[in-house]
């Protein structure tokens, strides 16, 4: 029985080989890394810094090989130098792959459909946190599902105070995009 890590490695190798076969070998970033993300329940995969890809553990457990490789290839396209987000060039490569393979690379994929195809009940108890805030004075960390621009600006402009310690300097991470924004 293959471990999740072995499964990920196998499917990454297959995906890379298939991209080379359709002529995209030169676009591949040789520094790409792949990891399993055990925390993300609302996401299939993610590409950080146009290089570091993580694939959600639930997808590796529930999805078909094709579902998983769709996601791996989706993320690999984000590592191509000339792509920005899901803008025109990314869409061009997605169409390029779709026209030459049996994959269907799309901007968004329904998580519910993947569970439905696997005939597995999707877990319902989950809260999606977008923001992680750290008080740099005392180190306290807390998470928020949403923040208005006004609240966000309050943190970055020093207008917020951590009542427990009096700290006014915060580090803010956008968990959706694994980006330190402040
Ligand atoms: Zn994407
Ligand atoms: Zn504090």
């Amino acid at each position: 029985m293959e471990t999740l890590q072995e499964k990920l490695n196998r499917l990454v190798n297959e995906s890379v080989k298939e991209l080379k076969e359709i002529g995209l070998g030169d676009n591949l970033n040789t520094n790409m890394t792949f990891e399993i993300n055990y925390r993300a329940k609302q996401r299939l995969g993610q590409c950080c810094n146009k290089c570091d890809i993580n694939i959600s553990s639930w997808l590796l457990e529930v999805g078909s090989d094709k579902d998983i490789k769709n996601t791996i290839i989706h993320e690999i396209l984000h590592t191509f130098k000339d792509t920005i987000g899901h803008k025109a060039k990314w869409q061009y490569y997605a169409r390029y792959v779709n026209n030459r393979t049996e994959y269907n690379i799309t901007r968004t994929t329904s998580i519910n459909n993947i569970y439905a195809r696997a005939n597995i009940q999707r877990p319902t108890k989950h809260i999606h946190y977008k923001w992680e805030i750290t008080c740099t004075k005392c180190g306290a960390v807390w998470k928020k599902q949403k923040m208005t621009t006004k609240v966000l600006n309050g943190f970055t402009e020093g207008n917020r105070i951590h009542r427990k310690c009096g700290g006014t300097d915060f580090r803010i991470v956008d968990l959706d995009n694994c980006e330190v924004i402040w």
Side-chain angles (χ1 to χ4, degrees):
M1 179 72 187
E2 86 188 325
T3 64
L4 278 196
Q5 188 65 55
E6 287 164 353
K7 186 175 190 178
L8 175 60
N9 294 347
R10 173 174 61 82
L11 295 173
V12 165
N13 289 339
E14 287 176 20
S15 303
V16 165
K17 183 168 171 269
E18 286 159 13
L19 290 176
K20 284 179 180 167
E21 280 166 6
I22 58 170
L24 293 175
D26 289 345
N27 299 77
L28 292 168
N29 180 338
T30 49
N31 295 319
M32 270 189 298
T33 66
F34 289 86
E35 272 184 21
I36 301 173
N37 186 331
Y38 289 93
R39 196 177 56 86
K41 307 292 181 201
Q42 308 294 322
R43 190 164 62 212
L44 294 91
Q46 186 178 38
C47 177
C48 297
N49 309 319
K50 293 189 76 64
C51 186
D52 302 314
I53 291 170
N54 63 76
I55 302 295
S56 302
S57 58
W58 73 263
L59 175 64
L60 290 164
E61 283 163 0
V62 170
S64 66
D65 280 9
K66 193 178 166 189
D67 289 326
I68 298 166
K69 283 159 79 176
N70 258 307
T71 298
I72 291 171
I73 294 171
H74 173 121
E75 301 306 338
I76 288 178
L77 299 187
H78 283 308
T79 70
F80 287 9
K81 276 204 186 76
D82 52 350
T83 62
I84 302 167
H86 298 123
K87 290 186 181 162
K89 207 64 208 258
W90 184 93
Q91 290 175 42
Y92 162 81
Y93 287 119
R95 273 196 309 275
Y96 182 99
V97 173
N98 294 345
N99 289 338
R100 289 162 181 80
T101 64
E102 49 181 41
Y103 296 111
N104 180 26
I105 312 300
T106 50
R107 271 176 286 180
T108 56
T109 302
S110 159
I111 292 177
N112 285 338
N113 287 350
I114 292 176
Y115 274 98
R117 276 199 292 277
N119 217 353
I120 292 172
Q121 182 79 41
R122 181 178 180 185
T124 48
K125 223 179 148 203
H126 42 60
I127 303 170
H128 177 63
Y129 292 108
K130 176 165 172 66
W131 303 104
E132 185 185 83
I133 300 155
T134 307
C135 170
T136 61
K137 189 177 177 196
C138 73
V141 179
W142 62 98
K143 289 179 181 170
K144 279 178 174 289
Q145 293 174 260
K146 283 177 188 165
M147 262 199 291
T148 62
T149 312
K150 197 178 159 201
V151 171
L152 184 62
N153 289 345
F155 278 112
T156 60
E157 289 162 7
N159 298 328
R160 290 232 147 199
I161 183 157
H162 185 214
R163 249 179 273 154
K164 266 192 191 157
C165 74
T168 55
D169 184 46
F170 302 93
R171 194 176 79 106
I172 297 173
V173 178
D174 175 346
L175 295 170
D176 284 346
N177 300 307
C178 56
E179 202 179 345
V180 180
I181 66 143
W182 186 255

